[in-house]
Every structure is written in structure tokens, then in C-alpha cells.
Amino acid sequence: MELAAAALAHACSSCTACELSGSRNRVVVSRGASTASLMLIGEAPGATEDQQGRPFVGRAGRLLDQLLIEAGLDPERDLYVCNALKCRPPGNRKPKRGELEACRPWLEQQITLVNPSVVCLLGATALAAVLDLRDPMSGLRGRWIERDGRRWMPLFHPSYLLRNPSRDPGGPFALTLSDLRQVRARLCQGDAASGAPLP
Ligand code: URA
Ligand code: SF4
């Protein structure tokens, strides 16, 4: 499994299938555990990710890790994190449809490799790119979607939480924490059903 993950990362890191290959510093493939039953999919790398070659390592990523830990999940052990797009769009502009389409085979390979039972989609771009759903996040977040034998959970993007930092009950931070607790509870149920110890 780890070998397959390394082979995928190696192949992806020299991809030139879209114009972003000309402006990126590093291809940003994934971080976390490729054996996890939880996968998180974000939008695209930002400046820090493009420098370090790892997803969600800038401000949004630090907030994401904080939320995961508060929800009882270990960011390195319990999940695999990637983005719909593996290379940074210049100036962090929105990914273009053609770029997302060109990058889709990499994401498909990642989903096949990890074979997660639960997938969190972070923000509207990931939700549209992966499940082709375009309804407002406020109505979809926190609700399970069953598709292709997996359970999908849309969540607010951590960058949105940075722009809306209130931690009041009912605010986006509190809602996302409760969504992630729901995700963890679902994973624990799955583990209990398969006889594996609870995390
Ligand atoms: N935002 C994303 O969607 N992905 C990252 O990796 C970083 C910021
Ligand atoms: Fe390849 Fe995806 Fe990077 Fe485009 S964004 S060059 S398709 S890895």
C-alpha cells in the first residue's frame, strides 16, 4: 500500500497535463495515511503548500489540524488529505474547469488507492469537482451523501472559517467541529462492525 502510494506520488510529481505545470514549484499530492478509512479533499494548494509539496500546511491547514484534533482525529494516522487540484493556481485564483478535469485521473487513483469508507469534501469547489453538486455549502454541510459505496460529507472549507472566525455556537467553526465529530463517530461505528479496535 505504501509502495503504491509512493509510486502514485512519484508519477504525479512530473505531471504536465495542464498549464499549471508551468507555474508551480511543487506538485502537492497528499499527506497522512494511505491506509486510513477517512479521506479529506480540498480545493488546490496555496503558496505554502506549493513551497513545501504538502497539502494544508499553511494557515488554513493549521486550523484544519486543530479542528481534527479537537474532534478526536489524528491528522497523520487517521486520514489521508489531498486536493482536487494538485498544482497551485497562480495568485490562488479559482481552479478552471479544464484544470480540474485534467487533474481528475490523479484524484481517482488516490480514491482507488486509499479506498476510504468516508470522504470529507472541503468547500464548494471540491464538492462541485468531485460529486458535481453545486448547492450552497450552508445547506449541504454536515449531511451524509451516499454514493459509489462510500459516505461523503461536505464541510466548510477551513479558509472560510479563517474569514469567519467566530467560535459562537451555531457559527461555522462550531458547526464544522460538530460535523467532524459526526465523521469520527461514523468511523468508530465502522471499526466496531469490522471488529477493529476503536481509535
Ligand atoms: N486550501 C486548500 O484547498 N488546499 C490546501 O492544500 C491549502 C489550502
Ligand atoms: Fe497535472 Fe493536476 Fe498539476 Fe495539472 S494540476 S499539471 S493535471 S497534477
Side-chain angles (χ1 to χ4, degrees):
M1 179 73 84
E2 291 306 324
L3 253 182
L8 189 155
H10 182 73
C12 188
S13 64
S14 56
C15 176
T16 55
C18 85
E19 67 184 47
L20 297 177
S21 58
S23 52
R24 71 176 179 229
N25 284 302
R26 304 269 299 269
V27 178
V28 177
V29 183
S30 68
R31 69 175 164 106
S34 60
T35 49
S37 36
L38 172 61
M39 184 163 173
L40 267 57
I41 307 177
E43 179 173 319
T48 318
E49 291 77 18
D50 176 65
Q51 287 296 332
Q52 296 188 21
R54 281 163 61 80
F56 284 105
V57 288
R59 274 182 76 218
R62 282 196 296 278
L63 180 61
L64 176 63
D65 280 359
Q66 186 191 331
L67 277 157
L68 290 166
I69 291 164
E70 264 191 65
L73 293 160
D74 179 327
E76 290 302 319
R77 189 198 62 190
D78 295 336
L79 44 114
Y80 177 96
V81 188
C82 66
N83 285 304
L85 206 59
K86 314 296 175 224
C87 302
R88 182 191 182 205
N92 296 352
R93 65 157 169 72
K94 284 273 165 209
K96 295 180 185 170
R97 185 182 286 256
E99 292 162 355
L100 289 164
E101 279 168 10
C103 213
R104 177 81 189 208
W106 294 119
L107 184 63
E108 296 291 349
Q109 283 193 52
Q110 289 177 300
I111 295 174
T112 302
L113 172 85
V114 179
N115 193 21
S117 53
V118 175
V119 186
C120 293
L121 296 165
L122 307 182
T125 302
L127 188 57
V130 180
L131 294 186
D132 202 23
L133 290 173
R134 282 153 220 286
D135 312 59
M137 279 310 292
S138 51
L140 288 180
R141 61 132 280 278
R143 299 193 180 189
W144 290 111
I145 298 164
E146 307 242 5
R147 216 188 267 188
D148 304 332
R150 307 185 202 283
R151 292 180 149 246
W152 308 76
M153 166 76 78
L155 299 175
F156 286 132
H157 193 286
S159 302
Y160 174 74
L161 304 183
L162 285 174
R163 294 194 301 274
N164 298 273
S166 158
R167 303 208 171 185
D168 293 346
F173 184 94
L175 290 173
T176 305
L177 191 52
S178 104
D179 295 347
L180 282 169
R181 290 195 167 123
Q182 233 197 113
V183 165
R184 181 174 183 272
R186 159 61 46 189
L187 290 166
C188 290
Q189 279 173 23
D191 283 346
S194 69
L198 298 184

